[in-house]
Amino acid sequence: MYNEEHNKAYSSTNVLAKQGVAAVGGIIGGAGLLLMGSLPPIAGIVLGALAGILGIGALLSKDPEEKKPGAIITAAGCLAIVSRLSIPVIKPLAGAFLGLGALGFFAMGIWNGIKFFKGLKRRR
């Protein structure tokens, strides 16, 4: 009745928690990037500046696990600001990267969500 191989297929609680948080964070990050790209210019600049400040704060943190998200948030804030400025060549590129970043966040969130639910299913 007890199968040792079945036990090896279990995902640990820590792994499942990280996958769940990454799934939610990816989907919220994608929605945030889409929101920053669709706001009027002044609101987009303000929200981009707030994201940049938040990201820099995370980059300056002593916790090494906050540096990677801090760099991503800072880059997203800079892209949001640049995509709202009236610089002819840079504006469309920044807007395109902002959209690609949103798509990437959504894909990452969905992928981690699938892994999360598969891990939960294995624990039954």
Side-chain angles (χ1 to χ4, degrees):
M1 189 164 172
Y2 179 74
N3 187 356
E4 190 173 316
E5 287 184 27
H6 183 68
N7 190 25
K8 289 180 184 178
Y10 284 151
S11 296
S12 73
T13 305
N14 290 337
V15 170
L16 283 176
K18 285 182 181 182
Q19 287 173 345
V21 169
V24 172
I27 292 170
I28 289 174
L33 285 179
L34 284 179
L35 179 70
M36 281 195 277
S38 65
L39 290 174
I42 298 298
I45 290 172
V46 170
L47 192 59
L50 288 174
I53 291 169
L54 181 74
I56 290 171
L59 275 173
L60 296 176
S61 171
K62 292 182 181 180
D63 186 7
E65 291 196 13
E66 290 185 13
K67 294 193 183 289
K68 191 175 189 179
I72 293 169
I73 293 170
T74 303
C78 291
L79 281 174
I81 291 171
V82 172
S83 72
R84 294 294 166 204
L85 298 176
S86 296
I87 303 171
V89 175
I90 298 175
K91 182 177 178 176
L93 284 175
F97 284 132
L98 202 59
L100 287 173
L103 185 64
F105 269 121
F106 279 130
M108 181 192 73
I110 291 169
W111 178 251
N112 280 316
I114 291 169
K115 291 191 316 186
F116 173 76
F117 284 116
K118 280 185 177 180
L120 277 180
K121 190 175 181 181
R122 278 191 227 131
R123 293 181 66 97
R124 283 187 182 180

